Amino acid sequence: MVERLHPASEVLCHTQRRGQMQALDHLYAHVNTRWVFHLEDDWRFDGTPGFIEDSIDILQDNPNCFQVHLRYRDKSLHPAHAELFHSSIRGAEYRR
């Protein structure tokens, strides 16, 4: 099905069980792009637009950063001190 819907895709399969982390390491070894957008099958999204663009902005502003986990302050139930937040060049808020 993947080949039919996305002919340029490559399906990677293992002959024996490896576990999630080894499988992800194997998968990432085949990636030749600058960015990886990783999803899990049980993650939910709230419909906030622009989160991929915000993530890329934050990564570009912070070359030593390797992962972005977004939780927008106005939608979070956890209090955070305003002084902990920074803004990317395009205005995406983030906390280190």
Side-chain angles (χ1 to χ4, degrees), residues 19-70:
Q20 182 180 20
M21 296 316 297
Q22 282 189 336
L24 287 174
D25 286 345
H26 182 251
L27 171 68
Y28 290 158
H30 288 80
V31 173
N32 59 9
T33 61
R34 184 170 180 192
W35 311 110
V36 174
F37 180 60
H38 177 96
L39 294 173
E40 299 283 338
D41 63 346
D42 59 348
W43 291 1
R44 294 180 11 187
F45 295 91
D46 66 0
T48 302
F51 67 93
I52 292 176
E53 293 84 355
D54 287 349
S55 299
I56 291 173
D57 287 347
I58 292 166
L59 289 167
Q60 288 176 330
D61 285 356
N62 297 275
N64 293 327
C65 180
F66 66 93
Q67 179 181 11
V68 174
H69 174 104
L70 290 178

